[in-house]
Amino acid sequence: MKHTVLIPLLCLFALFACEKKSSQHLEVGVDLANVQVHFSPGGSPTTAVINVLDEAKRSVHVQAYSFTSALIASALKSAHDRGVKVLVVLDKSQRSERYTSATFLTNAGIPVWIDKKHAIAHNKVMIIDESIVITGSFNFTKAAEERNAENLLIISNKQIADEYLANWEIHRGHSEAY
């Protein structure tokens, strides 16, 4: 089920209210953001992610705990092939998983790094064109699409995207090449 709505950020993000406190805590002083909400199974989060990736013009920054979705990996490769800068940071588990998109993306010429600083790098985030954030519990996997109860938010808001991008850069900074 897909819902495109304008939601007051004060209601959507109880923690976001007035000002930036630190690089680890953001309080947003905006009234509205364009937010799409998707649930699985049955709500087509993978299709929603691919639709946003197909519209990317400049950049896609990815952080993922588990990334095995061939469909999403192919959409990232397509973006890369049309000149979009695609950069990926993955959890260290992606080095030892039986199947991971890390190898496919690396072979496609997309830079991939492994974040092994944390017990688990559990982020599920994409920042598109520094203005759209995709996040939620949804891992970029077929199981998340078809079998798990997951949620996905697509947030169109430059200020929020800037914060996610700054956090992405921190994690990229302590990660090593795949």
PDB file of all heavy atoms in Angstrom, residues 1-7 12-13 33-39 43-45 47-52 55 132-136 151-156:
ATOM      1  N   MET A   1       0.844  -1.175   0.000  1.00  0.00           N
ATOM      2  CA  MET A   1       0.000   0.000   0.000  1.00  0.00           C
ATOM      3  C   MET A   1       0.887   1.235   0.000  1.00  0.00           C
ATOM      4  O   MET A   1       1.806   1.357   0.785  1.00  0.00           O
ATOM      5  CB  MET A   1      -0.885  -0.023   1.243  1.00  0.00           C
ATOM      6  CG  MET A   1      -1.667   1.239   1.449  1.00  0.00           C
ATOM      7  SD  MET A   1      -2.676   1.160   2.928  1.00  0.00           S
ATOM      8  CE  MET A   1      -4.057   0.272   2.300  1.00  0.00           C
ATOM      9  N   LYS A   2       0.641   2.162  -0.890  1.00  0.00           N
ATOM     10  CA  LYS A   2       1.434   3.376  -1.017  1.00  0.00           C
ATOM     11  C   LYS A   2       0.575   4.571  -0.659  1.00  0.00           C
ATOM     12  O   LYS A   2      -0.563   4.667  -1.081  1.00  0.00           O
ATOM     13  CB  LYS A   2       1.955   3.519  -2.439  1.00  0.00           C
ATOM     14  CG  LYS A   2       2.673   4.821  -2.668  1.00  0.00           C
ATOM     15  CD  LYS A   2       3.027   4.994  -4.118  1.00  0.00           C
ATOM     16  CE  LYS A   2       3.477   6.416  -4.336  1.00  0.00           C
ATOM     17  NZ  LYS A   2       3.562   6.757  -5.715  1.00  0.00           N
ATOM     18  N   HIS A   3       1.152   5.466   0.105  1.00  0.00           N
ATOM     19  CA  HIS A   3       0.472   6.702   0.450  1.00  0.00           C
ATOM     20  C   HIS A   3       1.436   7.845   0.188  1.00  0.00           C
ATOM     21  O   HIS A   3       2.536   7.848   0.705  1.00  0.00           O
ATOM     22  CB  HIS A   3       0.082   6.733   1.931  1.00  0.00           C
ATOM     23  CG  HIS A   3      -0.781   5.583   2.335  1.00  0.00           C
ATOM     24  ND1 HIS A   3      -2.123   5.545   2.078  1.00  0.00           N
ATOM     25  CD2 HIS A   3      -0.473   4.424   2.954  1.00  0.00           C
ATOM     26  CE1 HIS A   3      -2.615   4.417   2.532  1.00  0.00           C
ATOM     27  NE2 HIS A   3      -1.636   3.718   3.063  1.00  0.00           N
ATOM     28  N   THR A   4       1.055   8.814  -0.625  1.00  0.00           N
ATOM     29  CA  THR A   4       1.838  10.027  -0.792  1.00  0.00           C
ATOM     30  C   THR A   4       1.092  11.110  -0.040  1.00  0.00           C
ATOM     31  O   THR A   4      -0.053  11.396  -0.350  1.00  0.00           O
ATOM     32  CB  THR A   4       1.985  10.397  -2.268  1.00  0.00           C
ATOM     33  OG1 THR A   4       2.602   9.301  -2.937  1.00  0.00           O
ATOM     34  CG2 THR A   4       2.833  11.634  -2.438  1.00  0.00           C
ATOM     35  N   VAL A   5       1.763  11.673   0.955  1.00  0.00           N
ATOM     36  CA  VAL A   5       1.091  12.627   1.822  1.00  0.00           C
ATOM     37  C   VAL A   5       2.029  13.757   2.188  1.00  0.00           C
ATOM     38  O   VAL A   5       3.242  13.615   2.163  1.00  0.00           O
ATOM     39  CB  VAL A   5       0.610  11.942   3.126  1.00  0.00           C
ATOM     40  CG1 VAL A   5      -0.483  10.943   2.844  1.00  0.00           C
ATOM     41  CG2 VAL A   5       1.755  11.261   3.847  1.00  0.00           C
ATOM     42  N   LEU A   6       1.479  14.867   2.544  1.00  0.00           N
ATOM     43  CA  LEU A   6       2.230  15.937   3.181  1.00  0.00           C
ATOM     44  C   LEU A   6       1.990  15.796   4.670  1.00  0.00           C
ATOM     45  O   LEU A   6       0.865  15.851   5.135  1.00  0.00           O
ATOM     46  CB  LEU A   6       1.770  17.308   2.690  1.00  0.00           C
ATOM     47  CG  LEU A   6       2.166  17.662   1.278  1.00  0.00           C
ATOM     48  CD1 LEU A   6       1.623  19.042   0.896  1.00  0.00           C
ATOM     49  CD2 LEU A   6       3.675  17.661   1.132  1.00  0.00           C
ATOM     50  N   ILE A   7       3.037  15.576   5.410  1.00  0.00           N
ATOM     51  CA  ILE A   7       2.922  15.321   6.837  1.00  0.00           C
ATOM     52  C   ILE A   7       3.712  16.378   7.598  1.00  0.00           C
ATOM     53  O   ILE A   7       4.868  16.610   7.292  1.00  0.00           O
ATOM     54  CB  ILE A   7       3.489  13.928   7.179  1.00  0.00           C
ATOM     55  CG1 ILE A   7       2.695  12.854   6.438  1.00  0.00           C
ATOM     56  CG2 ILE A   7       3.465  13.680   8.678  1.00  0.00           C
ATOM     57  CD1 ILE A   7       3.248  11.464   6.616  1.00  0.00           C
ATOM     58  N   LEU A  12       5.477  13.771  12.416  1.00  0.00           N
ATOM     59  CA  LEU A  12       6.173  12.616  11.875  1.00  0.00           C
ATOM     60  C   LEU A  12       7.433  12.291  12.673  1.00  0.00           C
ATOM     61  O   LEU A  12       7.703  11.138  12.980  1.00  0.00           O
ATOM     62  CB  LEU A  12       6.551  12.867  10.412  1.00  0.00           C
ATOM     63  CG  LEU A  12       7.295  11.746   9.717  1.00  0.00           C
ATOM     64  CD1 LEU A  12       6.401  10.507   9.657  1.00  0.00           C
ATOM     65  CD2 LEU A  12       7.696  12.176   8.326  1.00  0.00           C
ATOM     66  N   PHE A  13       8.191  13.286  13.011  1.00  0.00           N
ATOM     67  CA  PHE A  13       9.439  13.098  13.733  1.00  0.00           C
ATOM     68  C   PHE A  13       9.361  13.835  15.065  1.00  0.00           C
ATOM     69  O   PHE A  13       9.676  15.006  15.150  1.00  0.00           O
ATOM     70  CB  PHE A  13      10.628  13.635  12.940  1.00  0.00           C
ATOM     71  CG  PHE A  13      10.781  13.010  11.589  1.00  0.00           C
ATOM     72  CD1 PHE A  13      10.513  13.728  10.449  1.00  0.00           C
ATOM     73  CD2 PHE A  13      11.204  11.700  11.460  1.00  0.00           C
ATOM     74  CE1 PHE A  13      10.656  13.165   9.197  1.00  0.00           C
ATOM     75  CE2 PHE A  13      11.356  11.129  10.215  1.00  0.00           C
ATOM     76  CZ  PHE A  13      11.085  11.856   9.085  1.00  0.00           C
ATOM     77  N   ALA A  33       7.058  18.276   4.922  1.00  0.00           N
ATOM     78  CA  ALA A  33       7.931  17.559   3.990  1.00  0.00           C
ATOM     79  C   ALA A  33       7.047  16.645   3.169  1.00  0.00           C
ATOM     80  O   ALA A  33       6.023  16.163   3.641  1.00  0.00           O
ATOM     81  CB  ALA A  33       8.980  16.745   4.744  1.00  0.00           C
ATOM     82  N   ASN A  34       7.439  16.401   1.946  1.00  0.00           N
ATOM     83  CA  ASN A  34       6.733  15.447   1.116  1.00  0.00           C
ATOM     84  C   ASN A  34       7.251  14.062   1.492  1.00  0.00           C
ATOM     85  O   ASN A  34       8.442  13.798   1.369  1.00  0.00           O
ATOM     86  CB  ASN A  34       6.978  15.753  -0.358  1.00  0.00           C
ATOM     87  CG  ASN A  34       6.196  14.844  -1.271  1.00  0.00           C
ATOM     88  OD1 ASN A  34       5.374  14.036  -0.836  1.00  0.00           O
ATOM     89  ND2 ASN A  34       6.447  14.964  -2.550  1.00  0.00           N
ATOM     90  N   VAL A  35       6.361  13.194   1.961  1.00  0.00           N
ATOM     91  CA  VAL A  35       6.760  11.876   2.441  1.00  0.00           C
ATOM     92  C   VAL A  35       5.892  10.815   1.793  1.00  0.00           C
ATOM     93  O   VAL A  35       4.665  10.930   1.792  1.00  0.00           O
ATOM     94  CB  VAL A  35       6.621  11.781   3.991  1.00  0.00           C
ATOM     95  CG1 VAL A  35       7.007  10.391   4.477  1.00  0.00           C
ATOM     96  CG2 VAL A  35       7.451  12.852   4.669  1.00  0.00           C
ATOM     97  N   GLN A  36       6.526   9.804   1.234  1.00  0.00           N
ATOM     98  CA  GLN A  36       5.819   8.619   0.755  1.00  0.00           C
ATOM     99  C   GLN A  36       6.048   7.511   1.769  1.00  0.00           C
ATOM    100  O   GLN A  36       7.152   7.350   2.272  1.00  0.00           O
ATOM    101  CB  GLN A  36       6.360   8.144  -0.597  1.00  0.00           C
ATOM    102  CG  GLN A  36       6.130   9.084  -1.736  1.00  0.00           C
ATOM    103  CD  GLN A  36       6.719   8.505  -3.012  1.00  0.00           C
ATOM    104  OE1 GLN A  36       6.769   7.303  -3.210  1.00  0.00           O
ATOM    105  NE2 GLN A  36       7.170   9.393  -3.881  1.00  0.00           N
ATOM    106  N   VAL A  37       5.016   6.740   2.049  1.00  0.00           N
ATOM    107  CA  VAL A  37       5.087   5.648   3.018  1.00  0.00           C
ATOM    108  C   VAL A  37       4.752   4.348   2.294  1.00  0.00           C
ATOM    109  O   VAL A  37       3.750   4.271   1.582  1.00  0.00           O
ATOM    110  CB  VAL A  37       4.083   5.885   4.173  1.00  0.00           C
ATOM    111  CG1 VAL A  37       4.151   4.757   5.181  1.00  0.00           C
ATOM    112  CG2 VAL A  37       4.337   7.235   4.836  1.00  0.00           C
ATOM    113  N   HIS A  38       5.601   3.335   2.490  1.00  0.00           N
ATOM    114  CA  HIS A  38       5.389   2.021   1.869  1.00  0.00           C
ATOM    115  C   HIS A  38       5.593   0.942   2.926  1.00  0.00           C
ATOM    116  O   HIS A  38       6.453   1.092   3.807  1.00  0.00           O
ATOM    117  CB  HIS A  38       6.381   1.791   0.726  1.00  0.00           C
ATOM    118  CG  HIS A  38       6.284   2.808  -0.351  1.00  0.00           C
ATOM    119  ND1 HIS A  38       5.511   2.640  -1.456  1.00  0.00           N
ATOM    120  CD2 HIS A  38       6.861   4.034  -0.481  1.00  0.00           C
ATOM    121  CE1 HIS A  38       5.618   3.707  -2.234  1.00  0.00           C
ATOM    122  NE2 HIS A  38       6.425   4.568  -1.649  1.00  0.00           N
ATOM    123  N   PHE A  39       4.833  -0.135   2.810  1.00  0.00           N
ATOM    124  CA  PHE A  39       4.967  -1.256   3.733  1.00  0.00           C
ATOM    125  C   PHE A  39       5.110  -2.547   2.927  1.00  0.00           C
ATOM    126  O   PHE A  39       4.611  -2.651   1.812  1.00  0.00           O
ATOM    127  CB  PHE A  39       3.736  -1.357   4.646  1.00  0.00           C
ATOM    128  CG  PHE A  39       3.534  -0.146   5.497  1.00  0.00           C
ATOM    129  CD1 PHE A  39       2.644   0.839   5.107  1.00  0.00           C
ATOM    130  CD2 PHE A  39       4.235   0.022   6.669  1.00  0.00           C
ATOM    131  CE1 PHE A  39       2.456   1.977   5.883  1.00  0.00           C
ATOM    132  CE2 PHE A  39       4.051   1.149   7.451  1.00  0.00           C
ATOM    133  CZ  PHE A  39       3.157   2.139   7.064  1.00  0.00           C
ATOM    134  N   GLY A  43       3.331  -3.839  -0.391  1.00  0.00           N
ATOM    135  CA  GLY A  43       3.290  -2.407  -0.667  1.00  0.00           C
ATOM    136  C   GLY A  43       4.335  -1.917  -1.651  1.00  0.00           C
ATOM    137  O   GLY A  43       4.485  -0.720  -1.851  1.00  0.00           O
ATOM    138  N   SER A  44       5.067  -2.833  -2.243  1.00  0.00           N
ATOM    139  CA  SER A  44       6.039  -2.540  -3.304  1.00  0.00           C
ATOM    140  C   SER A  44       7.130  -1.536  -2.940  1.00  0.00           C
ATOM    141  O   SER A  44       7.429  -0.626  -3.718  1.00  0.00           O
ATOM    142  CB  SER A  44       5.314  -2.075  -4.567  1.00  0.00           C
ATOM    143  OG  SER A  44       4.397  -3.046  -4.992  1.00  0.00           O
ATOM    144  N   PRO A  45       7.779  -1.687  -1.771  1.00  0.00           N
ATOM    145  CA  PRO A  45       8.883  -0.779  -1.473  1.00  0.00           C
ATOM    146  C   PRO A  45      10.020  -0.851  -2.493  1.00  0.00           C
ATOM    147  O   PRO A  45      10.619   0.175  -2.818  1.00  0.00           O
ATOM    148  CB  PRO A  45       9.373  -1.201  -0.090  1.00  0.00           C
ATOM    149  CG  PRO A  45       8.366  -2.132   0.449  1.00  0.00           C
ATOM    150  CD  PRO A  45       7.502  -2.591  -0.670  1.00  0.00           C
ATOM    151  N   THR A  47       9.844  -1.388  -5.711  1.00  0.00           N
ATOM    152  CA  THR A  47       9.437  -0.579  -6.863  1.00  0.00           C
ATOM    153  C   THR A  47       9.571   0.902  -6.548  1.00  0.00           C
ATOM    154  O   THR A  47      10.026   1.685  -7.392  1.00  0.00           O
ATOM    155  CB  THR A  47       7.992  -0.922  -7.275  1.00  0.00           C
ATOM    156  OG1 THR A  47       7.941  -2.299  -7.626  1.00  0.00           O
ATOM    157  CG2 THR A  47       7.529  -0.068  -8.440  1.00  0.00           C
ATOM    158  N   ALA A  48       9.196   1.303  -5.345  1.00  0.00           N
ATOM    159  CA  ALA A  48       9.311   2.710  -4.949  1.00  0.00           C
ATOM    160  C   ALA A  48      10.771   3.166  -4.970  1.00  0.00           C
ATOM    161  O   ALA A  48      11.085   4.254  -5.465  1.00  0.00           O
ATOM    162  CB  ALA A  48       8.697   2.919  -3.570  1.00  0.00           C
ATOM    163  N   VAL A  49      11.671   2.330  -4.442  1.00  0.00           N
ATOM    164  CA  VAL A  49      13.101   2.666  -4.448  1.00  0.00           C
ATOM    165  C   VAL A  49      13.589   2.795  -5.888  1.00  0.00           C
ATOM    166  O   VAL A  49      14.265   3.767  -6.242  1.00  0.00           O
ATOM    167  CB  VAL A  49      13.921   1.602  -3.679  1.00  0.00           C
ATOM    168  CG1 VAL A  49      15.420   1.806  -3.887  1.00  0.00           C
ATOM    169  CG2 VAL A  49      13.577   1.627  -2.192  1.00  0.00           C
ATOM    170  N   ILE A  50      13.253   1.833  -6.721  1.00  0.00           N
ATOM    171  CA  ILE A  50      13.697   1.853  -8.120  1.00  0.00           C
ATOM    172  C   ILE A  50      13.171   3.087  -8.839  1.00  0.00           C
ATOM    173  O   ILE A  50      13.904   3.732  -9.607  1.00  0.00           O
ATOM    174  CB  ILE A  50      13.282   0.553  -8.834  1.00  0.00           C
ATOM    175  CG1 ILE A  50      14.087  -0.620  -8.272  1.00  0.00           C
ATOM    176  CG2 ILE A  50      13.463   0.670 -10.347  1.00  0.00           C
ATOM    177  CD1 ILE A  50      13.572  -1.985  -8.679  1.00  0.00           C
ATOM    178  N   ASN A  51      11.922   3.464  -8.597  1.00  0.00           N
ATOM    179  CA  ASN A  51      11.354   4.656  -9.232  1.00  0.00           C
ATOM    180  C   ASN A  51      12.146   5.910  -8.880  1.00  0.00           C
ATOM    181  O   ASN A  51      12.388   6.763  -9.742  1.00  0.00           O
ATOM    182  CB  ASN A  51       9.886   4.820  -8.866  1.00  0.00           C
ATOM    183  CG  ASN A  51       8.994   3.792  -9.529  1.00  0.00           C
ATOM    184  OD1 ASN A  51       9.374   3.151 -10.511  1.00  0.00           O
ATOM    185  ND2 ASN A  51       7.804   3.613  -8.981  1.00  0.00           N
ATOM    186  N   VAL A  52      12.544   6.039  -7.618  1.00  0.00           N
ATOM    187  CA  VAL A  52      13.340   7.205  -7.210  1.00  0.00           C
ATOM    188  C   VAL A  52      14.724   7.129  -7.854  1.00  0.00           C
ATOM    189  O   VAL A  52      15.236   8.132  -8.364  1.00  0.00           O
ATOM    190  CB  VAL A  52      13.430   7.312  -5.680  1.00  0.00           C
ATOM    191  CG1 VAL A  52      14.368   8.446  -5.265  1.00  0.00           C
ATOM    192  CG2 VAL A  52      12.050   7.533  -5.070  1.00  0.00           C
ATOM    193  N   GLU A  55      14.990   8.314 -11.362  1.00  0.00           N
ATOM    194  CA  GLU A  55      14.898   9.766 -11.534  1.00  0.00           C
ATOM    195  C   GLU A  55      16.145  10.503 -11.055  1.00  0.00           C
ATOM    196  O   GLU A  55      16.251  11.722 -11.234  1.00  0.00           O
ATOM    197  CB  GLU A  55      13.676  10.304 -10.783  1.00  0.00           C
ATOM    198  CG  GLU A  55      12.344   9.780 -11.330  1.00  0.00           C
ATOM    199  CD  GLU A  55      12.094  10.218 -12.760  1.00  0.00           C
ATOM    200  OE1 GLU A  55      12.368  11.390 -13.088  1.00  0.00           O
ATOM    201  OE2 GLU A  55      11.629   9.374 -13.556  1.00  0.00           O
ATOM    202  N   ILE A 132      16.609  13.964  -1.378  1.00  0.00           N
ATOM    203  CA  ILE A 132      15.631  12.913  -1.071  1.00  0.00           C
ATOM    204  C   ILE A 132      16.312  11.860  -0.212  1.00  0.00           C
ATOM    205  O   ILE A 132      17.424  11.430  -0.512  1.00  0.00           O
ATOM    206  CB  ILE A 132      15.097  12.263  -2.361  1.00  0.00           C
ATOM    207  CG1 ILE A 132      14.385  13.298  -3.230  1.00  0.00           C
ATOM    208  CG2 ILE A 132      14.159  11.094  -2.032  1.00  0.00           C
ATOM    209  CD1 ILE A 132      14.051  12.793  -4.628  1.00  0.00           C
ATOM    210  N   VAL A 133      15.632  11.441   0.847  1.00  0.00           N
ATOM    211  CA  VAL A 133      16.136  10.384   1.721  1.00  0.00           C
ATOM    212  C   VAL A 133      15.167   9.211   1.665  1.00  0.00           C
ATOM    213  O   VAL A 133      13.959   9.381   1.827  1.00  0.00           O
ATOM    214  CB  VAL A 133      16.271  10.865   3.189  1.00  0.00           C
ATOM    215  CG1 VAL A 133      16.666   9.709   4.102  1.00  0.00           C
ATOM    216  CG2 VAL A 133      17.266  12.009   3.284  1.00  0.00           C
ATOM    217  N   ILE A 134      15.723   8.038   1.436  1.00  0.00           N
ATOM    218  CA  ILE A 134      14.976   6.785   1.550  1.00  0.00           C
ATOM    219  C   ILE A 134      15.497   6.105   2.801  1.00  0.00           C
ATOM    220  O   ILE A 134      16.702   5.898   2.941  1.00  0.00           O
ATOM    221  CB  ILE A 134      15.188   5.883   0.319  1.00  0.00           C
ATOM    222  CG1 ILE A 134      14.658   6.558  -0.943  1.00  0.00           C
ATOM    223  CG2 ILE A 134      14.547   4.523   0.544  1.00  0.00           C
ATOM    224  CD1 ILE A 134      14.959   5.808  -2.227  1.00  0.00           C
ATOM    225  N   THR A 135      14.590   5.742   3.725  1.00  0.00           N
ATOM    226  CA  THR A 135      15.010   5.106   4.971  1.00  0.00           C
ATOM    227  C   THR A 135      13.843   4.318   5.561  1.00  0.00           C
ATOM    228  O   THR A 135      12.743   4.340   5.044  1.00  0.00           O
ATOM    229  CB  THR A 135      15.559   6.151   5.976  1.00  0.00           C
ATOM    230  OG1 THR A 135      16.211   5.465   7.054  1.00  0.00           O
ATOM    231  CG2 THR A 135      14.485   7.084   6.494  1.00  0.00           C
ATOM    232  N   GLY A 136      14.097   3.629   6.622  1.00  0.00           N
ATOM    233  CA  GLY A 136      13.086   2.819   7.303  1.00  0.00           C
ATOM    234  C   GLY A 136      13.694   1.495   7.707  1.00  0.00           C
ATOM    235  O   GLY A 136      14.911   1.308   7.653  1.00  0.00           O
ATOM    236  N   ASN A 151       8.949  -1.320   6.730  1.00  0.00           N
ATOM    237  CA  ASN A 151       8.440  -0.004   6.339  1.00  0.00           C
ATOM    238  C   ASN A 151       9.525   0.760   5.612  1.00  0.00           C
ATOM    239  O   ASN A 151      10.720   0.527   5.816  1.00  0.00           O
ATOM    240  CB  ASN A 151       7.941   0.786   7.559  1.00  0.00           C
ATOM    241  CG  ASN A 151       9.082   1.212   8.460  1.00  0.00           C
ATOM    242  OD1 ASN A 151       9.757   2.209   8.186  1.00  0.00           O
ATOM    243  ND2 ASN A 151       9.332   0.453   9.518  1.00  0.00           N
ATOM    244  N   LEU A 152       9.089   1.660   4.728  1.00  0.00           N
ATOM    245  CA  LEU A 152       9.998   2.476   3.938  1.00  0.00           C
ATOM    246  C   LEU A 152       9.415   3.872   3.839  1.00  0.00           C
ATOM    247  O   LEU A 152       8.229   4.032   3.540  1.00  0.00           O
ATOM    248  CB  LEU A 152      10.155   1.878   2.533  1.00  0.00           C
ATOM    249  CG  LEU A 152      11.068   2.652   1.593  1.00  0.00           C
ATOM    250  CD1 LEU A 152      12.515   2.195   1.796  1.00  0.00           C
ATOM    251  CD2 LEU A 152      10.649   2.449   0.148  1.00  0.00           C
ATOM    252  N   LEU A 153      10.239   4.868   4.107  1.00  0.00           N
ATOM    253  CA  LEU A 153       9.856   6.270   3.945  1.00  0.00           C
ATOM    254  C   LEU A 153      10.718   6.884   2.856  1.00  0.00           C
ATOM    255  O   LEU A 153      11.930   6.659   2.826  1.00  0.00           O
ATOM    256  CB  LEU A 153      10.075   7.060   5.235  1.00  0.00           C
ATOM    257  CG  LEU A 153       9.241   6.682   6.449  1.00  0.00           C
ATOM    258  CD1 LEU A 153       9.713   7.449   7.664  1.00  0.00           C
ATOM    259  CD2 LEU A 153       7.778   6.944   6.175  1.00  0.00           C
ATOM    260  N   ILE A 154      10.099   7.657   1.992  1.00  0.00           N
ATOM    261  CA  ILE A 154      10.816   8.454   1.006  1.00  0.00           C
ATOM    262  C   ILE A 154      10.504   9.899   1.348  1.00  0.00           C
ATOM    263  O   ILE A 154       9.360  10.352   1.225  1.00  0.00           O
ATOM    264  CB  ILE A 154      10.395   8.106  -0.426  1.00  0.00           C
ATOM    265  CG1 ILE A 154      10.641   6.616  -0.690  1.00  0.00           C
ATOM    266  CG2 ILE A 154      11.149   8.993  -1.421  1.00  0.00           C
ATOM    267  CD1 ILE A 154      10.116   6.135  -2.024  1.00  0.00           C
ATOM    268  N   ILE A 155      11.523  10.608   1.827  1.00  0.00           N
ATOM    269  CA  ILE A 155      11.355  11.958   2.363  1.00  0.00           C
ATOM    270  C   ILE A 155      12.035  12.950   1.423  1.00  0.00           C
ATOM    271  O   ILE A 155      13.246  12.882   1.226  1.00  0.00           O
ATOM    272  CB  ILE A 155      11.974  12.067   3.771  1.00  0.00           C
ATOM    273  CG1 ILE A 155      11.414  10.983   4.694  1.00  0.00           C
ATOM    274  CG2 ILE A 155      11.773  13.469   4.344  1.00  0.00           C
ATOM    275  CD1 ILE A 155      12.232  10.760   5.952  1.00  0.00           C
ATOM    276  N   SER A 156      11.256  13.853   0.869  1.00  0.00           N
ATOM    277  CA  SER A 156      11.800  14.905   0.010  1.00  0.00           C
ATOM    278  C   SER A 156      11.973  16.158   0.853  1.00  0.00           C
ATOM    279  O   SER A 156      11.028  16.903   1.081  1.00  0.00           O
ATOM    280  CB  SER A 156      10.858  15.167  -1.168  1.00  0.00           C
ATOM    281  OG  SER A 156      10.745  14.028  -1.968  1.00  0.00           O
TER     282      SER A 156
END
